[in-house]
Amino acid sequence: MVRKFTQIAFTPAVKVAQEQRGSRQTYARFEQNGPSNDTITPEIEEFIAQMDGFYLGTVGSNGYPYIQFRGGQPGFLKAVDEKTLGFADFKGNVQYVTVGNLDENDKAFLFLMDYRHRRRLKIWGRAMYVEDDSELIESLKLPNYEAEVERVILFHIEAWNWNCPQHIPIRYSEQEVAALQARINELEELLAKKQQI
């Protein structure tokens, strides 16, 4: 089975670059051996449910890419079905670059990075926004999150690929650092009590 992301990412120019640098033969085998990676697996759904942010890439009519961070509570990016992700798009700086880009070109890219566990997931697909479907908006809204939802963005997966952990720095979120500090304090208190005995 052909890995679908290679059909998207390995353009003729990329294959020439691989050939010139000695990796084409390896990647030719890689393309032909493995799952197609175009549906949401349980592992991906679990990974996505833990994420509190990701990067969304679109392309402008001038051919330039546009990357924007989208953030919220963990789980705000949701699996709608086995080939579709969706999220509530909160009111931001009102530049509407992503919306304008999607009006002309629905090709899009999601980049999800888990710094703590050194994992990254790349997802290629086509995206669309929906502004006037209150039922859909309600289904993707976050409970107890006060940000104003302007629309929903649906992302139809064409391919995905886990990227290697090489060169990913380990970082912790504020909440993770607070939890670690609380645990350290608890252990120090236990140690101090044992030393008093």
Side-chain angles (χ1 to χ4, degrees), residues 42-193:
E43 179 187 15
I44 287 175
E45 191 165 4
E46 182 182 335
F47 179 74
I48 287 169
Q50 297 169 15
M51 300 302 295
D52 62 0
F54 58 89
Y55 296 91
L56 171 64
T58 57
V59 181
S61 60
N62 57 8
Y64 280 97
Y66 180 72
I67 310 281
Q68 189 170 49
F69 181 79
R70 297 291 207 234
Q73 294 173 337
F76 80 101
L77 178 63
K78 299 177 183 180
V80 176
D81 61 43
E82 69 173 9
K83 286 200 172 254
T84 310
L85 299 170
F87 63 94
D89 192 27
F90 308 121
K91 186 170 187 167
N93 61 14
V94 299
Q95 290 180 352
Y96 302 113
V97 177
T98 297
V99 170
N101 286 349
L102 291 176
D103 276 337
E104 295 184 324
N105 186 342
D106 66 349
K107 288 181 181 173
F109 185 80
L110 295 178
F111 187 82
L112 291 85
M113 177 69 86
D114 176 356
Y115 287 100
R116 180 178 175 200
H117 299 102
R118 299 181 72 214
R119 297 177 75 200
R120 56 184 159 203
L121 177 63
K122 301 178 291 188
I123 308 174
W124 291 262
R126 297 187 180 265
M128 62 182 284
Y129 63 89
V130 179
E131 294 183 323
D132 298 321
D133 185 334
S134 56
E135 189 176 322
L136 180 61
I137 290 171
E138 197 60 37
S139 74
L140 292 172
K141 221 172 158 181
L142 292 171
N144 306 318
Y145 197 71
E146 299 302 318
E148 181 183 342
V149 178
E150 286 194 309
R151 71 196 53 79
V152 160
I153 293 184
L154 296 176
F155 189 95
H156 304 286
I157 296 173
E158 292 187 348
W160 56 262
N161 186 50
W162 290 104
N163 213 183
C164 74
Q166 190 176 3
H167 308 299
I168 299 175
I170 296 175
R171 293 187 180 145
Y172 292 90
S173 71
E174 223 176 300
Q175 292 85 3
E176 290 167 332
V177 170
L180 288 171
Q181 187 60 56
R183 181 67 177 143
I184 289 169
N185 292 344
E186 179 185 331
L187 293 171
E188 285 177 343
E189 286 175 21
L190 285 171
L191 185 60
K193 285 179 184 176

